[in-house]
Amino acid sequence: MLKIRLIPSLLLLNGRCVKGVQFDNFRDVGHPVTAARVYDAQGADELLFLDITASLENRATLYGLVARTAEECFMPLTVGGGVRTLADIRTLLQSGADKVAINTAAVERPEFVREAAEVFGRQCIVVSIDYRRVDGERHEVFIRRASQATGLDPLRWAQEAEAWGAGEILLTSIDREGIGQGYDLELTRSVAKAVRIPVIASGGVGSLQHLVDGVTLGGASAVSAASLFHFSDQSVIKAKAYMRNAGLDVRPG
């Protein structure tokens, strides 16, 4: 049984770390290299590094900043944002990333996921799924920083992404992102049961208990958080201790 992973998330905008609410109203929260250094020292299992406007602006991720961030941390680094070609993935891996997160390009051309997995191995291909509730009932996948609806159901898309070759799913509730009311446990649980690959729960953490709930109630293999660490006195060290005391099998902090 794999250990449960705790993964801080860094959102990048114009070379700075930001945090928003429901993918909007972003606030500056520091420099990514400094944040990566802190999380690494505290024992984070991995780090999510997401360039949130790369796809919207049709540009590549800032490779130089990725390289400088990778130099400061020894934990695995997953980088996403503007990944559209095999060359993009190769450059990110050469810059120090261990995995790449693909969102918009995966939806627009699912074959890209298979091609990437065949060339680089599915273990480093993460399909990122951003979704929100629409019409008060159903869920729908959105791309380009939640600005474009796709008509896709996130559960079915997660299953398709796995079939195309994804090695992991990053599942983010747009509605809950930055709100602090906890993960969307119902959908997280449904996706985790429907796929055989790891699912990272993302969007909504406001307390340490929410991290535990993401695993025990949501069935996630890993839990991601940003606001919890940016805007409270909680740390990766405290979070891991809390998760361990709750009976979760986590790596030492």
Side-chain angles (χ1 to χ4, degrees):
M1 183 69 178
L2 297 177
K3 291 185 180 293
I4 301 300
R5 292 168 292 150
L6 176 59
I7 308 177
S9 176
L10 295 179
L11 305 183
L12 180 67
L13 178 64
N14 299 324
R16 297 283 295 180
C17 289
V18 298
K19 191 67 189 77
V21 176
Q22 298 176 335
F23 287 38
D24 203 356
N25 300 317
F26 295 105
R27 298 161 57 185
D28 188 293
V29 292
H31 195 280
V33 175
T34 302
R37 188 183 300 123
V38 170
Y39 289 139
D40 187 53
Q42 292 180 350
D45 296 308
E46 298 181 18
L47 182 66
L48 275 172
F49 191 84
L50 305 174
D51 189 336
I52 60 175
T53 58
S55 289
L56 196 63
E57 297 171 356
N58 292 312
R59 61 169 174 78
T61 299
L62 302 177
Y63 300 122
L65 189 53
V66 171
R68 292 197 299 276
T69 303
E71 289 174 356
E72 295 292 333
C73 63
F74 298 96
M75 57 191 163
L77 177 64
T78 298
V79 181
V83 179
R84 296 184 296 272
T85 67
L86 296 180
D88 291 337
I89 297 175
R90 182 174 291 106
T91 302
L92 283 172
L93 296 178
Q94 292 173 343
S95 298
D98 298 280
K99 305 177 188 178
V100 295
I102 308 171
N103 188 328
T104 297
V107 170
E108 294 181 338
R109 196 171 74 84
E111 295 87 351
F112 178 45
V113 178
R114 182 190 62 209
E115 295 164 2
E118 288 176 348
V119 173
F120 302 104
R122 69 183 302 161
Q123 78 284 344
C124 76
I125 305 301
V126 180
V127 168
S128 177
I129 300 176
D130 300 332
Y131 71 94
R132 61 162 41 110
R133 187 178 292 275
V134 296
D135 300 329
E137 297 180 1
R138 64 184 181 89
H139 296 98
E140 184 172 355
V141 176
F142 281 71
I143 58 175
R144 299 188 183 279
R145 210 184 84 189
S147 66
Q148 182 178 329
T150 66
L152 294 175
D153 173 78
L155 175 57
R156 287 197 291 271
W157 171 227
Q159 293 174 306
E160 291 178 22
E162 179 184 30
W164 281 110
E168 200 161 11
I169 298 293
L170 172 60
L171 187 66
T172 304
S173 168
I174 299 168
D175 298 319
R176 289 177 174 265
E177 196 270 336
I179 298 297
Q181 296 180 354
Y183 299 117
D184 179 352
L185 297 173
E186 182 178 359
L187 187 64
T188 300
R189 182 169 56 251
S190 296
V191 172
K193 288 182 177 179
V195 300
R196 293 166 295 177
I197 56 178
V199 173
I200 305 171
S202 173
V205 174
S207 72
L208 298 181
Q209 183 59 42
H210 290 156
L211 299 172
V212 174
D213 292 344
V215 177
T216 60
L217 301 179
S221 303
V223 285
S224 177
S227 295
L228 179 72
F229 301 131
H230 289 314
F231 304 129
S232 76
D233 63 351
Q234 305 297 353
S235 67
V236 169
I237 295 173
K238 292 179 180 179
K240 281 199 164 187
Y242 188 93
M243 295 168 72
R244 190 176 300 110
N245 289 337
L248 299 184
D249 187 13
V250 297
R251 294 185 178 92

